[in-house]
Amino acid sequence: MGFFTDTSVCIGCKACEVACKEWNAIPEDGLDLTGMSYDNSQGLGASTWRHVAFIEQSKPLGHAHADVDHGDVDVLALAAQGSGTPPGEAAITPTTPGTGPAGTGAADAGDGSQGAQGVEGTQEARTDGDGRGELRWLMSSDVCKHCTHAACLDVCPTGSLFRTEFGTVVVQEDICNGCGYCVPACPYGVIEQRPHDGRAFKCTMCYDRLGAGREPACAKACPTESIQFGPLDELRVRAQERVDQLREAGVNDARLYGHDPQDGVGGDGAFFLLLDEPEVYGLPPDPVVTTRDLPDMWRHAGAAALTLLGGLAAVFAAHGRDRAPARRFWR
C-alpha cells in the first residue's frame, strides 16, 4: 500500500496538513512568517508529517501563459455562466486562458490550440503588461517516502522502526531511545528528533487507520484527489496514464518520481507526479539507500581486524623464539 501524489491537481489548500495533525495529535510547529510564498511550515519534520510546498516560477504550464493580464475580465459574468460552460465557450480555463473580455470569444480553443486573436492578445500582454501574474505556483504535498530499502530500519538499534504488514515504515514512540541514528540515514531528510524530547518522529501513513480498514487522514481530506492511496501497482498504472494525458496536453515536463522499484531505494511507498525537476521541489534527483555500503564496510573491517591479529600473533611468536636461547644462557 502507498501514496501517489499528483501535484498537477494540488491546489495548496493544506487540508492534508491539518488532517494529519488532527488525527495524529501532532503538536503545532510554530507560526513563523517565512517569506516563502504561502509556505509557513517550511519542510517535513518531527511535528510536520505533511508539508505542502509552494514554489513560485515565471514559467507557463503546458499551453497556458502565465503572463496574461486578466485585469479586464468580468469575473461576475464568468460566474453567471455557471460551471457547465463548455471549454470552447469559456473566457478562461486553467490551461487555456482567455485574452479578452468575458464573452468576446477571444479565448483559446477548447482542444488546447490557440486562435489567432488569442495569440495576438498574449503577445500584447507580454509586451505591454505591467508584470502582474508573471509566475506560476507549483504546489506539492510532501511526506515520508516509506522506502522499500529503508536505511532508517538498518541503523535503528532498538527496533523502534519497523516494517508493517502494509509495507510502510513506522516509528514506535515508546521504544525510541533518541539515539538519532535514523536522522542522517534517511536519504530524503524526512526524520527529525523533536526538540526537548529527543525521540524521532515521522509519518506512519496512519497505521492505526489502516488497521481499521480506513485510508490515511491526508488522502481522505484531499479535496482534489491529489493524494491517492491504494495498492502501489495500481497507483503506478494510474500515475503513468496521468503523465501520458498531461504530455498530450502539452505539459512535457510531467514526470514520475520515486515510482521505479529499480531505483536507489528500491522504489518509494509514496511517489509523485512532478511538473519540473525534483530539485525544484527540494527532492534529491537520484536518492540511494545510505546503508548500501554497510556490508562491504563490515567485511573490510573484519579483514583488517584479522590481519592485525595475525600480525600480533606473528610478533609474539617471533619474540618468544628470541627469548628462549637467552634464558638458557643465563642459567
Side-chain angles (χ1 to χ4, degrees):
M1 306 298 285
F3 285 129
F4 162 49
T5 302
D6 182 355
T7 67
S8 68
V9 294
C10 179
I11 58 175
C13 66
K14 301 189 179 186
C16 53
E17 285 190 13
V18 175
C20 177
K21 277 189 173 292
E22 186 172 3
W23 180 262
N24 295 290
I26 303 173
E28 63 91 16
D29 47 3
L31 297 173
D32 297 332
L33 182 60
T34 64
M36 298 168 57
S37 188
Y38 288 94
D39 186 351
N40 57 0
S41 51
Q42 303 183 48
L44 296 174
S47 299
T48 307
W49 298 357
R50 269 280 178 189
H51 167 243
V52 178
F54 285 73
I55 300 108
E56 297 181 1
Q57 290 182 322
S58 56
K59 183 177 181 180
L61 175 64
H63 294 296
H65 297 279
D67 54 353
V68 177
D69 183 11
H70 299 301
D72 55 350
V73 174
D74 186 350
V75 293
L76 297 178
L78 289 175
Q81 294 180 17
S83 59
T85 305
E89 301 176 10
I92 295 177
T93 69
T95 55
T96 57
T99 57
T104 61
D108 300 335
D111 59 0
S113 61
Q114 292 182 320
Q117 188 174 354
V119 173
E120 291 174 4
T122 299
Q123 297 299 331
E124 181 179 356
R126 286 177 175 173
T127 303
D128 301 329
D130 58 2
R132 291 183 301 170
E134 292 183 354
L135 64 87
R136 70 168 181 174
W137 273 325
L138 297 179
M139 290 165 282
S140 172
S141 181
D142 197 9
V143 70
C144 170
K145 312 305 179 295
H146 296 273
C147 309
T148 301
H149 302 310
C152 56
L153 286 175
D154 297 336
V155 301
C156 181
T158 64
S160 170
L161 282 151
F162 74 103
R163 178 85 60 187
T164 71
E165 65 271 32
F166 304 105
T168 59
V169 180
V170 171
V171 183
Q172 301 176 89
E173 303 171 6
D174 55 336
I175 300 179
C176 178
N177 65 356
C179 68
Y181 293 164
C182 55
V183 176
C186 177
Y188 297 100
V190 168
I191 308 179
E192 184 185 47
Q193 293 173 276
R194 187 168 291 162
H196 312 300
D197 182 302
R199 293 176 296 172
F201 294 87
K202 74 170 195 67
C203 164
T204 66
M205 206 178 280
C206 290
Y207 184 44
D208 52 346
R209 291 177 64 93
L210 298 188
R214 305 170 71 178
E215 63 182 323
C218 54
K220 182 70 175 178
C222 182
T224 63
E225 296 188 352
S226 171
I227 302 172
Q228 301 177 31
F229 172 76
L232 283 172
D233 290 340
E234 295 181 11
L235 292 177
R236 288 175 182 136
V237 173
R238 195 183 307 167
Q240 187 57 55
E241 291 175 351
R242 176 60 177 160
V243 169
D244 295 340
Q245 181 186 28
L246 287 172
R247 289 180 176 173
E248 288 177 3
V251 187
N252 295 322
D253 290 335
R255 72 201 67 192
L256 296 180
Y257 177 83
H259 68 295
D260 185 2
Q262 305 302 318
D263 65 15
V265 295
D268 292 329
F271 65 98
F272 301 80
L273 187 157
L274 305 179
L275 300 178
D276 209 325
E277 299 289 343
E279 298 93 321
V280 172
Y281 296 84
L283 297 169
D286 188 21
V288 296
V289 58
T290 53
T291 55
R292 63 175 179 175
D293 296 327
L294 204 55
D296 289 337
M297 292 171 60
W298 282 115
R299 192 160 39 248
H300 292 314
L306 289 176
T307 302
L308 179 61
L309 290 176
L312 291 174
V315 169
F316 280 117
H319 183 70
R321 284 197 299 271
D322 293 341
R323 293 291 300 271
R327 285 196 295 269
R328 287 195 296 271
F329 175 79
W330 285 107
R331 287 176 183 171

